[in-house]
Amino acid sequence: MIVLAAGEVSPGLLGFTVVALIGVALYLLIKSMNKQMSKIKVPHEGDGNDKKAG
């Protein structure tokens, strides 16, 4: 059995894969959030007063 020192241990391919998948998931979530936020209609300051007065 090979004993490695603390400085010789690395996360390897599994660690890279996990971080890459988290990055891709974050990108897709932000893209979806921006799409949903663009659908929201925010009333402007003057819009409410004009409708009530009319």
Side-chain angles (χ1 to χ4, degrees), residues 16-38:
F16 173 76
T17 305
V18 169
V19 172
L21 288 175
I22 290 173
V24 169
L26 180 63
Y27 172 77
L28 293 173
L29 283 171
I30 291 173
K31 187 175 174 183
S32 175
M33 181 191 67
N34 285 335
K35 185 176 171 184
Q36 295 298 321
M37 293 289 282
S38 68

Side-chain angles (χ1 to χ4, degrees), residues 42-53:
V42 179
H44 295 288
E45 193 73 26
D47 290 346
N49 293 337
D50 294 340
K51 291 179 182 176
K52 290 179 184 176

